[in-house]
Amino acid sequence: MAEVLKGVPVAASLTEELKARCERLKALGIIPTLSMLRVGEKPGDIAYETGALKRCEKIGIAVNKIILPADSSADEITGRICEVNTDESIHGLLMFRPLDDKVAERSACELLESSKDVDCMTDSSLSGVFTGSGTGFPPCTAQACIELLDFYGVDVTGKNVAVIGRSLVIGRPVSMLLMKNNATVTICHSKTHNLPEICRNADILIAAIGRAKFIGADYVSEGQTVIDVGINMDDDGKLCGDVDYDSVEPIVRAITPVPGGVGAVTTAVLAKHVIESAERVLSS
């Protein structure tokens, strides 16, 4: 039986740490504040918003919700971004993506100040992840993978890690974060030759390809740690990851569940970035 790397204990530990840091900031007259910009009423956006609100409330972070109609113009959306940029009381912005209006989304990403970009939506923040400059913050889900590995004592130093997926949201950023921690990373994707063999030879496998139950028993080997970032629906309409959990779990050393794994840590990482942004203001 594999060790199940649940996200709830990780999030709970982060929450307790962040509550203390939030209290210290408030004692100095700084109220950590997050703005959340949602365009439309997409169920996934609303679900994440609800989880983020609960996490911020537990920690003591103030939240300013900006809710716009689905047919909002690019000018309306970017206008709100400009307001956030100039409001010194706001330490971070989470904009729910993707937007239906790609022009508006791109314009918003270009406008947001990197210091308030707590989920890596700007090019400068992404550059910071790749160069290690510390500009902005990494994507919350990518950072959640690192937090989870750290919590369960999985040392990536010198380890071979196969990352399946090359998106700018998870695959490539998490690879950079892993290399920062001295892992040796192979970034794989749907066109990679001998993909099962590469995955089997890795010490750690991170699945972020966006295909339900894509990773089966032939992709894994004994002793591995498997981090499943995928959020999909299977043929029966049930939530599942990129990993076929039932076939993989008996083989590997440790594995994250879906739901209840990486996703459970993401809102805590979002809150951590808001607190860090507020602390940077204090030290500047």
Side-chain angles (χ1 to χ4, degrees):
M1 296 288 289
E3 178 185 5
V4 181
L5 308 180
K6 295 181 179 180
V8 171
V10 187
S13 176
L14 276 171
T15 297
E16 289 305 307
E17 174 198 333
L18 295 172
K19 282 169 67 175
R21 290 165 66 178
C22 188
E23 286 302 316
R24 285 196 293 270
L25 286 165
K26 287 181 176 179
L28 294 168
I30 297 175
I31 300 174
T33 302
L34 170 68
S35 278
M36 292 196 292
L37 173 57
R38 172 164 56 84
V39 180
E41 303 290 330
K42 294 178 182 177
D45 292 350
I46 293 172
Y48 188 72
E49 178 185 285
T50 300
L53 283 168
K54 290 179 179 178
R55 184 70 58 191
C56 289
E57 183 179 357
K58 287 180 181 178
I59 293 166
I61 294 171
V63 177
N64 171 33
K65 292 204 297 182
I66 304 169
I67 301 174
L68 299 177
D71 60 355
S72 296
S73 68
D75 286 344
E76 290 173 311
I77 295 168
T78 55
R80 292 305 187 100
I81 297 290
C82 291
E83 290 174 7
V84 169
N85 283 342
T86 57
D87 190 338
E88 294 183 358
S89 70
I90 296 174
H91 302 102
L93 172 79
L94 172 68
M95 184 177 78
F96 294 98
R97 296 175 291 160
L99 301 182
D100 293 333
D101 186 338
K102 299 305 177 188
V103 173
E105 180 176 337
R106 186 62 197 163
S107 297
C109 290
E110 289 174 349
L111 275 175
L112 182 62
E113 294 283 349
S114 61
S115 61
K116 299 186 179 187
D117 181 15
V118 290
D119 195 26
C120 202
M121 60 184 269
T122 64
D123 286 346
S124 58
S125 293
L126 195 59
S127 174
V129 174
F130 277 75
T131 63
S133 68
T135 301
F137 299 91
C140 293
T141 302
Q143 183 63 44
C145 295
I146 305 301
E147 298 285 351
L148 198 147
L149 289 167
D150 287 345
F151 180 86
Y152 285 103
V154 181
D155 185 7
V156 304
T157 301
K159 299 293 179 61
N160 292 315
V161 184
V163 175
I164 311 175
R166 52 182 168 178
S167 76
L168 291 174
V169 177
I170 301 170
R172 281 184 269 183
V174 80
S175 298
M176 296 303 107
L177 296 175
L178 287 161
M179 285 194 285
K180 183 179 178 181
N181 289 319
N182 300 311
T184 300
V185 181
T186 302
I187 302 176
C188 307
H189 45 79
S190 59
K191 304 298 183 183
T192 300
H193 293 297
N194 302 319
L195 183 57
E197 181 181 356
I198 292 171
C199 292
R200 284 194 302 270
N201 290 331
D203 300 303
I204 300 167
L205 178 61
I206 297 182
I209 200 168
R211 296 188 183 182
K213 299 183 179 180
F214 180 83
I215 305 299
D218 56 329
Y219 282 76
V220 299
S221 58
E222 293 182 4
Q224 285 183 318
T225 296
V226 177
I227 306 297
D228 190 352
V229 187
I231 298 292
N232 312 288
M233 302 298 290
D234 65 15
D235 293 338
D236 297 322
K238 294 181 180 179
L239 194 66
C240 68
D242 291 349
V243 176
D244 185 354
Y245 186 92
D246 290 340
S247 67
V248 168
E249 184 272 336
I251 301 171
V252 300
R253 186 196 69 80
I255 186 171
T256 60
V258 176
V262 175
V265 185
T266 304
T267 56
V269 172
L270 173 66
K272 181 179 181 180
H273 290 172
V274 176
I275 294 294
E276 289 179 354
S277 179
E279 289 172 339
R280 290 178 184 181
V281 171
L282 182 65
S283 62
S284 63

